[in-house]
Amino acid sequence: MKTPNIGWLYFKDYLRINSDPTKLFFERIKWEQEEKEKKNDAKSKNFDRFFNGFKDDYGNYHSGKNQEILELEFDKSLSGVLSVALPSEKLRFKTTYPGLTLGTGYTHEINETGEFKLGFFFDHTTGYPCIPGSAVKGCLRGMFPQKKQDDSDELSNASDKYNYLASIIQELSNLKEGLISENELGEEYDQKEHPKRESFIDRLEMEIFEGKKPVIKEDGSIENQPICIYDRDIFFDAYLVSTDHPAIHRSTYKNQKPFIGDDYITPHVNRKKPEMSPFTNPIPLMFLKILPEVTIQFQFDVKEGLLTKEQKEELFRRLLLDFGIGAKTNVGYGQFDEEMVATPSTQLAEIGKILIPENIVPTNVAPFLKKNTVFQGEVSDKIGLYNIYKFKVGVTECRLKKQWNKNPELKKGDNVTIVFGADYQKENPNFKVS
């Protein structure tokens, strides 16, 4: 990695002096004593210098802890490391103004001048900002009605979500014939009672988010039974791909392509007299955010069900574009630009080019792909000039690409035998398909 672990800088090194976790504590005591003796704001000034930097008597600028984070360069090589899904199972979005923030509930402040007041979420290994797969799944499910699983069987959200989802689903491409009319998805959206519509959307929610499907028992009752773990939809972490944020000429953005920045919220809070809060001067609270014009890639492993894989991805795309993700979405954060989205399709056209699919072989199974080893698999997809072959090593799924002109007769879904001609190498996997 070219860049330090930002998560470590933000949560661990942030309150250290020369990597010493205790030195700042003793400096704080000294500054407090100086403030009492001289009756000035020595502590606030010193903390501001510590976090935001300062110029010494010779005119030399010394970076503070905030600049160490904000001036980091974006490392594009991380995109390949964090990619775990096929190109056809990825969605790319660009953040819009004012940006995106998440993880604000994590504790970060020590109640001193100049610091970032709110927490943030970083990938533990790379240290880069990311959106956990669980957060992606929870955000998408929050746009469904979320029927309660108790005896009251009441809805935890407004019933107009049924109408909204119906309007989205009926616009998906290549729907099964009769699906719209059979499930009342094309009715007027202001009508409240559509039992078939509600039943279909409830079943879709259970299938996608709980991995269950309704089964009619012998007595005629319906029971939601678990779907096999390997046939459930999977939501992976979303990560940063690139940044096109324009260079800003100020000390906090010395690098030409920044991807994280600072922002402020200014709550009017009077803790002693809450009734006076509307008349209280705001207290600026600085927090970290992902800047506008930063590309974020979402990735999924969705399965065929009530909707096809392509239709589910298209549904997720519409929901994320309509509602956004992360914290403070009600004031504009976490929104995306639809014009900059690489829409999912089997052609994967992006700016007139065909994206080349990637080989997916987890590192824990790569040593088992030896010369002359044989695996049974299938053609999982046909993308551009490539066939994508899916096979399993034990319970771990792998996917490899090969130009389709080597096997022009194969179709999607065909069973194949994969034979390795040499030990597996990521850059040049040597295998034959029959």
Side-chain angles (χ1 to χ4, degrees):
M1 284 179 56
K2 299 178 182 178
T3 348
N5 188 302
I6 310 172
W8 188 87
L9 291 177
Y10 193 72
F11 283 103
K12 297 294 184 182
D13 189 61
Y14 197 64
L15 299 177
R16 296 181 178 185
I17 298 177
N18 297 328
S19 299
D20 187 339
T22 63
K23 194 170 182 179
L24 181 63
F25 172 76
F26 291 108
E27 289 291 324
R28 184 182 195 178
I29 295 175
K30 184 176 72 174
W31 296 337
E32 287 175 345
Q33 186 63 29
E34 180 183 345
E35 190 170 288
K36 289 179 181 178
E37 293 175 355
K38 297 183 178 181
K39 296 182 179 180
N40 59 16
D41 54 351
K43 188 177 78 163
S44 296
K45 287 182 178 179
N46 280 299
F47 266 109
D48 188 63
R49 285 157 56 94
F50 175 75
F51 288 119
N52 293 314
F54 64 95
K55 282 187 178 181
D56 59 23
D57 296 336
Y58 301 98
N60 299 316
Y61 179 76
H62 300 268
S63 294
K65 291 293 184 177
N66 294 342
Q67 281 68 44
E68 290 179 10
I69 295 171
L70 296 172
E71 293 174 4
L72 292 174
E73 296 282 351
F74 182 74
D75 186 358
K76 286 187 177 181
S77 65
L78 286 173
S79 298
V81 176
L82 298 173
S83 177
V84 296
L86 289 169
S88 61
E89 297 171 329
K90 298 174 183 177
L91 299 174
R92 287 189 176 185
F93 303 85
K94 272 199 175 180
T95 54
T96 60
Y97 179 83
L100 183 149
T101 185
L102 63 160
T104 55
Y106 289 109
T107 302
H108 189 260
E109 67 173 315
I110 59 170
N111 198 27
E112 294 295 350
T113 304
E115 65 179 350
F116 283 111
K117 297 293 184 182
L118 305 180
F120 201 82
F121 187 86
F122 301 93
D123 175 64
H124 178 75
T125 305
T126 65
Y128 261 68
C130 80
I131 305 174
S134 58
V136 176
K137 182 176 182 180
C139 172
L140 290 170
R141 184 164 194 182
M143 302 165 200
F144 278 72
Q146 300 182 65
K147 193 169 240 183
K148 289 184 177 179
Q149 302 302 309
D150 54 24
D151 295 336
S152 64
D153 204 32
E154 295 176 356
L155 296 178
S156 57
N157 291 306
S159 59
D160 57 359
K161 287 188 176 181
Y162 284 115
N163 295 328
Y164 165 74
L165 288 167
S167 69
I168 298 296
I169 293 171
Q170 71 160 326
E171 296 175 358
L172 301 178
S173 57
N174 301 320
L175 288 173
K176 294 179 182 178
E177 185 177 355
L179 185 141
I180 294 177
S181 58
E182 290 172 5
N183 295 285
E184 301 179 346
L185 300 178
E187 300 292 333
E188 294 295 328
Y189 308 137
D190 58 349
Q191 297 181 22
K192 296 182 179 180
E193 295 183 4
H194 290 280
K196 291 183 179 179
R197 172 187 299 178
E198 295 182 4
S199 174
F200 178 82
I201 292 174
D202 288 342
R203 285 185 286 128
L204 183 63
E205 180 182 349
M206 293 290 289
E207 175 189 291
I208 294 175
F209 301 107
E210 292 198 21
K212 296 180 180 180
K213 62 180 180 180
V215 176
I216 301 176
K217 300 174 69 176
E218 294 181 358
D219 60 1
S221 62
I222 298 178
E223 180 182 15
N224 289 316
Q225 294 186 355
I227 301 172
C228 173
I229 189 68
Y230 302 110
D231 295 327
R232 296 182 187 179
D233 297 327
I234 301 174
F235 300 78
F236 297 110
D237 295 350
Y239 58 91
L240 276 57
V241 176
S242 62
T243 175
D244 291 315
H245 189 83
I248 300 176
H249 299 288
R250 66 176 189 175
S251 60
T252 52
Y253 294 108
K254 289 183 179 179
N255 53 313
Q256 292 300 300
K257 291 292 184 182
F259 64 100
I260 52 176
D262 54 2
D263 209 340
Y264 294 83
I265 53 175
T266 51
H268 297 252
V269 179
N270 190 321
R271 300 188 184 280
K272 294 182 179 180
K273 295 182 178 180
E275 67 275 7
M276 297 300 293
S277 291
F279 309 101
T280 302
N281 288 332
I283 304 172
L285 303 178
M286 185 168 63
F287 63 94
L288 199 65
K289 69 175 182 179
I290 298 172
L291 291 168
E293 298 295 312
V294 173
T295 301
I296 298 178
Q297 183 155 278
F298 293 79
Q299 46 188 355
F300 311 92
D301 180 9
V302 293
K303 312 298 193 302
E304 301 284 338
L306 292 171
L307 300 175
T308 66
K309 294 168 58 174
E310 292 78 11
Q311 289 164 356
K312 284 183 181 179
E313 289 162 12
E314 190 177 345
L315 174 64
F316 296 164
R317 180 183 69 86
R318 286 290 304 273
L319 295 178
L320 288 169
L321 285 171
D322 286 350
F323 289 92
I325 196 170
K328 296 170 65 66
T329 53
N330 60 326
V331 290
Y333 288 85
Q335 304 300 317
F336 301 107
D337 190 347
E338 185 172 14
E339 294 181 359
M340 304 305 294
V341 176
T343 55
S345 68
T346 55
Q347 298 301 316
L348 295 176
E350 183 182 28
I351 318 178
K353 297 180 180 179
I354 300 297
L355 294 179
I356 299 175
E358 303 165 349
N359 293 320
I360 301 176
V361 176
T363 54
N364 63 315
V365 302
F368 296 96
L369 307 184
K370 298 289 187 181
K371 182 179 180 179
N372 296 326
T373 52
V374 180
F375 298 91
Q376 301 301 318
E378 68 176 45
V379 182
S380 66
D381 212 342
K382 299 177 78 69
I383 301 175
L385 301 176
Y386 293 88
N387 285 343
I388 308 300
Y389 301 103
K390 178 173 67 175
F391 63 98
K392 287 186 177 181
V393 180
V395 297
T396 304
E397 186 176 283
C398 303
R399 302 190 189 192
L400 294 174
K401 67 182 179 184
K402 205 175 191 67
Q403 290 194 6
W404 63 265
N405 56 6
K406 304 289 179 64
N407 300 92
E409 73 281 2
L410 291 176
K411 302 182 296 297
K412 183 176 178 179
D414 285 352
N415 294 324
V416 295
T417 299
I418 298 170
V419 182
F420 282 85
D423 292 353
Y424 173 77
Q425 294 182 353
K426 183 177 179 180
E427 296 75 20
N428 185 28
N430 185 344
F431 68 98
K432 294 182 179 179
V433 178
S434 59

